[in-house]
Amino acid sequence: SFVFAAVWPCAFSVTRYSITEEMERGSVVANLAADLGLDLNSLQDREVKLDIFTNKRYLDFNKKTGELYIVENIDREYLCPAKPTSCFLKLDVVIENPLRIFNIELGITDINDNAPHFRRDKVELDVSESAAPGERFSLPNAVDPDVGINTIKTYKLSASKHFTIEIQTGSDRTQYVDLVLTKSLDREETAAHHLILTAVDGGVPVRSGTAIIVVRVQDTNDNPPRFDNQIYTINMTENTPIGTAVTRLNATDLDEGLNAEIVYSFTLYTSEKTQDVFALNSNTGDITVKGMIDYEDMKMYEMHIEARDKGTHPLLGSCKVVVYVTDVNDNYPEITIQSVKNTVPENIPVGSVVALVETSDRDIGENGKVSISIHHAMPFILKKSSDKPEQYELIVSEALDREKVPEFEIRLIVTDSGTPPLSDNETITVRLLDVNDNAPKFPKSTYTIRVMENNAPGSLLESLSAFDPDLHENQYLVYVIIEKEIANTSVSMLFSINPEDGKLYALKTFDYEIEKEFLFHIEARDSGSPPLSSNVSVHIIIVDQNDNAPVIVSPWRAHGSVVEEKIPRSTDKGSLVAKVIALDTDSVHNSRITYQFLQVTDATLFSLDQYNGEIRTMRMFSYRDPRHQRLVVVAKDNGEPALSATVTIKLSTEETAVKAYSDMTEVPLEYDIFSDLNLYLVIGLGSVSFLLLITILVTIVLKCQKAKPSKAAPPSRNSVISERNSTIADSTLVSNDAYWYSLFLAETRKGKLVVRQPVPKGSRYIVSSIPRGTGLTDTSDSAASTLQ
């Protein structure tokens, strides 16, 4: 119905109309000209305007018909978003000339043109599976822009055995929906619940809107980890390499998140020894070998393992892993030395026990059967002990000698019966203690030592070193000279020996011309108990030095060094003028004398035999030859350097007829027997005759006690005979008698005389001269007799 109100100038009145949202475009709302009393003809020339107080032009006025019609669909929810009970569209109709304004209100009636809808078409809720039944969870409300009966009337929930809804109405009549838990949740059974919440309005036809409700069940740690098996049995061989995988454990947990994350660990029931051999990965459950698996140490390993989740209140599960170890021949047999004598005396009795050893092998069966042998250990043997089958005695099997083998390295070898066999060895060192069973030994049985005469007192002669193979005090040697007398003199007065090092010294100066050799013994004695000793012969030979110059004993030089002789000028060629005899108390080599002219008046007149010293005429004297001849003869020995002596002979020739020297043997000896020279000789001979007789007797006695000497050669012209060795030499010979004498040949013009005269101390010669001629004369016989 239309309510008409005429609006006059300056008069305010409102004309109200009612329309519905469902009216379409072009629909006539009202006939304003009829309702407002307007003349249609007058409206043609007048301007009519609509003033609508919205941002849209919903209505328009037709001047021809005077009708108000709809030009745009009217949306009540748009015009009145606050959902008031009444919703009006206000506009002013302005007609000019004259001006007239009409206020018009259109009351818009709601229709159910909007379905309820939720601001979110999907709602997600997290609900712990530990939530108790009756627990409520707020759900978002649906909205419906319609009002009145067309708005939301109720909510509906899809079928669920765990949830329902409850609708609460607020003071503003707004409905609120709660999701109520009716049955306990189990995440492991249903991890998420998908529900549909439907909002239904009261319009006709009924409209509705839905929202999906996803209830995610939040896990609680209500499930413990569980292993696939409660007991795992594994077989492994010993000595499995480190790092080898044993097994992988698998525990599962029906929970999720941290409640399902599992950590593996050994429990307290797992021994530390087992944990030293096996490693457990806490994250993966892998068991690997980390130590040496030894059958002989452990034949079976038990690992108690738990799987624990990471929940706030963690739950756990457990299992047992049993590892059985299989034996292999991995253990070397062993030798245990239970007792040993590392030092034994070298005279230890045969059969004595030196060591006690025991064998063992940690393996079993054939791998543990052990045999023992001895390697390069003569003279020791092994004997099985009667007390224990694995025990052996090391026994001395033969006599020991430290000087041959001072130490034994006894190598014992043990071998098992495994495949392949294993073996080991042990070395026992046995050192022999010395026993004084060896006497000192000299490298020589006799030491022959040559000592040059005129040695300095205290000079070292020789180092005598004995050897004793023993040790320590049994080896410490003391050297002593075995006391004896040599020529009425104690040997300790002549020689000395250092008792520690065996150095032999001379205590005096030796003279070859007095002492030629010494023979004694030296003893070396060790310091053992009892001490042992041995001795060695020492033969000291004095070596001659050329320390004595030749002494000219003929011709006699009683008055100075010049000898004067007279010879007839009628002397034949080859006649003996003079004979120079020199004596040297040195040894044979150094005493060999040669003669030479040092000066001669006429070299064509005289000759000198260099070996026997005879001066002979080389021709007869002539009237041109000087009456006086001067001859200087030098006698030189064979030493190095050579020593010499000289004699000067002055020869005077006279016309008196004198018999040749060849006839001198027929001249009676009495002619010059009492000349001055002969007188001196006879007096000297008488004074020593008694001593000479005693000496000859002692010499004969000593000769008889020794081996018979070889027969002496018959005396010959100008020969010298040795009493000691019967050696015939020309003119001069060395003799070794204890007392020495010399026979000097005194030459005169009338003949020769053999005499005896004691020689100064140090002389060791006996000289004899036999007269010339083929037969022995009374004089020569007398000389030979005197010599003997």
Side-chain angles (χ1 to χ4, degrees), residues 68 73 111 117 243 273 320 445 485 571 616 622-623:
L68 185 67
N73 291 337
I111 64 174
H117 70 276
K273 192 170 187 178
K320 181 170 69 174
S445 61
E485 286 189 357
T571 301
R616 295 181 181 274
S622 68
Y623 66 93

Side-chain angles (χ1 to χ4, degrees), residues 347-396:
N347 60 349
I348 183 173
V350 175
S352 300
V353 177
V354 175
L356 192 64
V357 299
E358 187 173 297
T359 62
S360 62
D361 193 319
R362 298 176 63 195
D363 292 323
I364 62 172
E366 291 297 317
N367 297 333
K369 291 182 180 179
V370 177
S371 61
I372 185 170
S373 61
I374 190 169
H375 184 69
H376 296 308
M378 302 298 292
F380 295 87
I381 60 171
L382 280 172
K383 181 181 178 183
K384 202 165 193 177
S385 175
S386 58
D387 298 335
K388 294 182 180 179
E390 300 86 7
Q391 200 173 66
Y392 295 85
E393 295 175 346
L394 185 63
I395 298 175
V396 178

Side-chain angles (χ1 to χ4, degrees), residues 534-691:
S534 63
N535 58 65
V536 65
S537 297
V538 178
H539 185 197
I540 304 293
I541 298 177
I542 307 302
V543 180
D544 180 55
Q545 271 188 329
N546 191 28
D547 57 343
N548 292 284
V551 177
I552 297 177
V553 297
S554 177
W556 185 258
R557 296 170 296 168
H559 304 287
S561 61
V562 177
V563 178
E564 294 184 358
E565 294 287 348
K566 293 181 180 181
I567 60 172
R569 291 185 67 85
S570 60
T571 301
D572 295 335
K573 174 183 177 181
S575 298
L576 178 63
V577 175
K579 182 178 180 65
V580 179
I581 300 177
L583 299 180
D584 193 322
T585 57
D586 289 323
S587 66
V588 175
H589 180 75
N590 294 325
S591 66
R592 292 176 183 172
I593 298 175
T594 57
Y595 303 91
Q596 295 177 353
F597 278 129
L598 192 59
Q599 292 181 5
V600 60
T601 303
D602 188 350
T604 64
L605 187 57
F606 301 99
S607 66
L608 174 62
D609 191 307
Q610 65 174 342
Y611 297 111
N612 59 24
E614 293 181 351
I615 301 175
R616 295 181 181 274
T617 58
M618 297 175 62
R619 59 180 174 81
M620 294 186 66
F621 288 94
S622 68
Y623 66 93
R624 295 187 183 89
D625 293 325
R627 183 172 179 270
H628 299 285
Q629 298 286 333
R630 186 173 183 271
L631 307 177
V632 179
V633 178
V634 60
K636 185 184 298 183
D637 63 21
N638 196 39
E640 183 64 38
L643 302 179
S644 63
T646 60
V647 62
T648 301
I649 301 175
K650 287 185 177 181
L651 292 178
S652 300
T653 59
E654 57 185 18
E655 298 297 333
T656 307
V658 182
K659 289 186 178 181
Y661 275 96
S662 60
D663 298 331
M664 280 185 181
T665 55
E666 297 179 358
V667 178
L669 293 174
E670 288 83 2
Y671 288 170
D672 291 331
I673 191 69
F674 292 109
S675 65
D676 293 340
L677 178 59
N678 291 341
L679 179 61
Y680 296 149
L681 293 176
V682 170
I683 293 173
L685 178 63
S687 64
V688 298
S689 59
F690 179 74
L691 182 59

Side-chain angles (χ1 to χ4, degrees), residues 234-259:
I234 300 169
N235 294 318
M236 297 191 70
T237 58
E238 62 177 331
N239 302 326
T240 298
I242 293 176
T244 301
V246 178
T247 188
R248 168 172 284 190
L249 300 177
N250 183 38
T252 56
D253 193 323
L254 299 178
D255 297 322
E256 67 175 358
L258 292 177
N259 297 328

Side-chain angles (χ1 to χ4, degrees), residues 350-541:
V350 175
S352 300
V353 177
V354 175
L356 192 64
V357 299
E358 187 173 297
T359 62
S360 62
D361 193 319
R362 298 176 63 195
D363 292 323
I364 62 172
E366 291 297 317
N367 297 333
K369 291 182 180 179
V370 177
S371 61
I372 185 170
S373 61
I374 190 169
H375 184 69
H376 296 308
M378 302 298 292
F380 295 87
I381 60 171
L382 280 172
K383 181 181 178 183
K384 202 165 193 177
S385 175
S386 58
D387 298 335
K388 294 182 180 179
E390 300 86 7
Q391 200 173 66
Y392 295 85
E393 295 175 346
L394 185 63
I395 298 175
V396 178
S397 62
E398 62 183 63
L400 305 178
D401 187 354
R402 190 205 63 81
E403 287 70 40
K404 292 182 179 178
V405 183
E407 186 175 273
F408 291 90
E409 296 288 338
I410 305 170
R411 187 181 175 199
L412 303 178
I413 301 175
V414 288
T415 306
D416 61 24
S417 301
T419 303
L422 300 177
S423 63
D424 197 4
N425 65 83
E426 188 74 32
T427 300
I428 297 176
T429 301
V430 177
R431 184 169 55 88
L432 300 185
L433 298 177
D434 185 57
V435 175
N436 194 24
D437 57 348
N438 291 278
K441 292 182 180 179
F442 287 93
K444 302 177 182 179
S445 61
T446 301
Y447 282 87
T448 300
I449 305 172
R450 296 184 177 274
V451 181
M452 188 69 68
E453 66 172 331
N454 302 316
N455 60 295
S459 59
L460 176 66
L461 303 182
E462 184 71 61
S463 292
L464 283 73
S465 179
F467 172 73
D468 193 325
D470 294 325
L471 290 179
H472 308 306
E473 66 275 0
N474 298 331
Q475 189 187 37
Y476 299 149
L477 302 183
V478 177
Y479 299 88
V480 295
I481 297 176
I482 299 177
E483 193 60 58
K484 65 175 289 188
E485 286 189 357
I486 300 177
N488 297 325
T489 303
S490 173
V491 70
S492 61
M493 301 297 293
L494 302 175
F495 302 98
S496 173
I497 191 168
N498 189 316
E500 295 182 356
D501 57 17
K503 291 183 177 179
L504 183 64
Y505 298 91
L507 297 180
K508 60 168 290 188
T509 300
F510 298 112
D511 188 352
Y512 174 83
E513 287 71 34
I514 299 176
E515 304 139 328
K516 289 185 171 54
E517 62 181 354
F518 301 94
L519 183 64
F520 55 92
H521 290 82
I522 291 178
E523 179 184 79
R525 182 173 60 249
D526 62 28
S527 302
S529 180
L532 300 178
S533 64
S534 63
N535 58 65
V536 65
S537 297
V538 178
H539 185 197
I540 304 293
I541 298 177

